[in-house]
């Protein structure tokens, strides 16, 4: 009875806290500029099913794809067992669903599912060990970049140890359950292949100890899952949820296409119109919000850019493919995403503490992302292509460059020379426009 | 070379004669001014002339598409260029455009429509593929036999617009052994020029991007590195020189190879 109450209280508090954090993250994401991504529902659902549910972009790297798939599948399927844990936990029953379905067709589905969960759990266990060694023993280059120092690496290890704990608890629970069935304490289930093998190791352990082991497994598993859930909003691991909406709202246009700023279009049209009367321009509306070009801080980015930041699990595939990073430049697309999230979290905390309009005098550009990083980008889209959940670091880089150029007039002098040439000569180099077709004359002699 | 003079028509001349062109050859700034890229432009003009397409150039009426300005972050300069170009293109009633520059290709195809410039835009690899398939260009000629060739994907053609097969089909039909770099197609490595990098010094690092890419191409021991972009051409030509391989390894645009195969 007491354990049922404890269970219900812990369970509901964990969900309440999770919901509270989700709303915070949602609010933060919606601090971004609006962008209309409502159309093309069919294509969006298809992209989400392929990329998030079907993990299609993970296949580019086969070993991590398979290992990640084990953990992903185990995670999805384990949720089924959670139903029974919830019922048992709140009512004090033991394997309540099994009692309902035993002997029927549903009973064989039950046994199949539990076996399936056990097999996937063991595979996920192996995968977790592989992942831990890739990060901590083999020390793969993409996990050792400067932006991974400190908390990000710790976060990754916490998640992996958490997964090991979960799998260990579920196996401890099921195997001691089987051992207790053998002693006639618990009502027998059908054969659970892996638990049966592990239960052999528990032979000779007294009933009382087994009962404690079973409870440790049961509570460890459910507390692990709830703890995981509470931890997620603080972690890069939040990608397990946001991967789905984030791929749903993927950019469906060609990767090379950048947005055209409509505020610029009207001004340029006016400049180019020979009949335009400069005095006919209506006086600027004092109440209208000033038009900003590009992005200096997170609120200037779109909500999709901000959702990208929360969807990033810091795998570093983008950085591993980035030509600038490969050749030792400071730019790392992963860092762009991590900085965006860190800054957004900071802005969110400011709002919580000091209200909506608080300015802390800091910004994403300069305080987190430097000019040197931005100017190293070749806009080659390798990062965008590499991301398994369709995050777009390039869009953020271009928006920050727009602010640098159009709001701050800060650019390397060679960029300014190129821009002046375009304006004066219609070419990025200093050639006379009159010489543009000289090659054609050379062909005609 | 240059045995028979070719008169390249401009849109203005055709317009004055009451004619129109079926396809506009958009030359681009590199193709107009850069000595290396001008050779590619000439090869393309020879091909267009050879197959008898009714084409024309804008000549001195063409200006930069605005791509490097946009990628550098200056939307004003980009749209100034774009709106001027669109005015000229619409005045001549241009329907179809071919260009040998993937940056011009991407900008014209993707970023001009919203500003009022809607054209069918193809990269020259796509036009060459079409002409070869139609039997208008041959691929057997040239002194290619026994040679080995690889292809470097331009980012703005490949990843940016998903065109991977057209250039490969054009090149692999030539009488050469085609070999692929490990980082190719969607995983192709940039030459280092995009996003306005062409016009500035690289940020501090431990290597130039074009050196990294050229090393990868040279490891295949090719005789020819084929490109489809004037900036990749510059970058890889410099990269090959960096490894002092310019005597044995040549960087060619696919238009130059097709022109050679057709004795143009």
């Amino acid at each position: 009875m007491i354990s049922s109450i404890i269970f219900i209280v812990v369970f509901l508090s964990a969900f309440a806290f999770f919901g509270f954090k989700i709303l915070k993250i949602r609010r933060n994401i919606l601090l971004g500029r609006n962008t209309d991504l409502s159309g093309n529902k069919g294509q969006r659902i298809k992209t989400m099913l392929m990329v998030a549910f079907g993990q299609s972009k993970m296949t580019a790297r086969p070993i991590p794809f398979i290992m990640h798939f084990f953990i992903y599948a185990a995670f999805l399927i384990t949720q089924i067992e959670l139903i029974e844990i919830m019922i048992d936990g709140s009512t004090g029953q033991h394997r309540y669903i099994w009692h309902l379905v035993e002997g029927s067709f549903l009973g064989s589905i039950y046994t199949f599912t539990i076996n399936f969960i056990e097999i996937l759990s063991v595979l996920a266990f192996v995968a977790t060990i592989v992942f831990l060694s890739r990060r901590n023993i083999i020390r793969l280059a993409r996990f050792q970049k400067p932006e991974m120092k400190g908390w990000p690496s710790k976060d990754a290890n916490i998640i992996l140890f958490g997964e090991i704990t979960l799998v260990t608890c579920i196996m401890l629970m099921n195997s001691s359950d089987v051992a207790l069935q053998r002693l006639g304490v618990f009502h027998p289930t059908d054969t659970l292949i892996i638990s049966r093998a592990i239960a052999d190791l528990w032979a000779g352990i007294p009933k009382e100890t087994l009962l404690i082991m079973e409870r440790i497994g049961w509570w460890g598993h459910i507390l692990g899952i709830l703890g995981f859930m509470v931890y997620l909003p603080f972690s890069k691991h939040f990608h397990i949820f946001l991967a789905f909406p984030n791929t749903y709202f993927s950019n469906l246009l060609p990767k090379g296409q950048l947005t055209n700023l409509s505020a610029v279009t009207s001004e340029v049209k006016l400049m180019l119109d020979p009949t335009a009367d400069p005095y006919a321009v209506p006086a600027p509306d004092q109440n209208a919000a000033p038009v900003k070009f590009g992005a200096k801080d997170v609120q200037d980015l779109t909500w999709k850019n901000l959702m990208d930041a929360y969807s990033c699990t810091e795998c570093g595939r983008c950085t591993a493919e980035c030509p600038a990073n490969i050749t030792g430049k400071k730019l790392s697309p992963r860092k762009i995403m991590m900085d965006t999230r860190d800054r957004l979290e900071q802005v969110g905390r400011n709002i919580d503490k000091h209200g909506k309009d608080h300015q802390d005098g800091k910004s994403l550009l300069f305080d987190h992302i430097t000019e040197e990083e931005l100017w190293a980008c070749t806009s080659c889209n390798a990062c965008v292509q590499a991301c398994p959940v369709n995050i777009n670091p390039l869009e953020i880089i271009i928006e920050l460059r727009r602010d640098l150029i159009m709001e701050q007039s800060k650019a390397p002098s060679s960029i300014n020379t190129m821009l002046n040439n375009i304006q004066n000569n219609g070419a990025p180099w200093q050639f006379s426009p009159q010489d543009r077709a000289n090659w054609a004359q050379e062909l005609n002699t | 070379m240059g045995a028979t003079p070719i008169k390249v028509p401009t849109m203005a001349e055709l317009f004055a004669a009451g004619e129109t062109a079926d396809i506009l050859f958009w030359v681009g700034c590199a193709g107009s001014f850069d000595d290396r890229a001008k050779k590619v432009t000439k090869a393309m003009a020879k091909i267009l002339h050879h197959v008898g397409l009714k084409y024309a150039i804008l000549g001195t009426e063409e200006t930069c598409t605005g791509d490097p300005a946009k990628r550098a972050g200056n939307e004003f300069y980009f749209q100034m260029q774009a709106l001027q170009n669109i005015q000229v293109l619409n005045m001549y009633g241009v329907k179809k455009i071919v260009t040998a520059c993937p940056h011009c290709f991407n900008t014209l195809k993707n970023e001009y429509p919203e500003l009022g410039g809607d054209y069918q835009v193809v990269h020259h690899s796509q036009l060459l593929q079409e002409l070869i398939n139609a039997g208008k260009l041959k691929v057997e000629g040239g002194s290619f036999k026994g040679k080995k060739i690889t292809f470097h994907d331009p980012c703005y053609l490949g990843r940016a617009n998903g065109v991977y097969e057209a250039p490969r089909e054009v090149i692999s039909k030539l009488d050469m052994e085609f070999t692929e770099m490990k980082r190719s197609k969607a995983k192709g490595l940039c030459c280092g020029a995009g996003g306005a990098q062409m016009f500035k010094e690289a940020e501090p690092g431990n290597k130039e991007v074009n050196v990294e890419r050229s090393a990868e191409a040279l490891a295949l021991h090719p005789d020819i590195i084929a490109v489809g972009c004037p900036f990749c051409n510059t970058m890889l030509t410099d990269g090959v020189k960096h490894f002092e391989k310019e005597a044995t390894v040549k960087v060619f645009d696919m238009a130059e190879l097709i022109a050679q195969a057709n004795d143009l």
Side-chain angles (χ1 to χ4, degrees), chain A residues 106-136:
Chain A
L106 286 173
S108 51
I109 292 183
Y110 178 94
T111 306
F112 175 81
T113 308
I114 303 285
N115 269 311
F116 200 50
I117 290 172
E118 289 196 348
I119 292 166
L120 278 170
S121 297
V122 170
L123 291 174
F125 185 85
V126 173
T128 312
I129 302 291
V130 171
F131 281 166
L132 275 171
S133 22
R134 282 160 64 90
R135 282 178 184 267
N136 301 294

Side-chain angles (χ1 to χ4, degrees), chain B residues 40-56:
Chain B
V40 180
T41 306
K42 289 176 185 173
M44 263 313 283
K46 285 176 189 170
I47 291 170
L48 291 166
H49 182 79
H50 172 72
V51 298
L53 268 178
K54 197 149 173 52
Y55 79 101

Side-chain angles (χ1 to χ4, degrees), chain B residues 81-100:
Chain B
Q81 295 303 118
L83 291 172
Q84 288 177 58
N85 280 322
I86 289 168
Q87 221 168 41
V88 175
L89 291 166
N90 289 352
M91 180 182 77
Y92 288 124
V94 170
K95 300 268 183 303
K96 189 172 179 181
I97 301 176
V98 61
T99 176

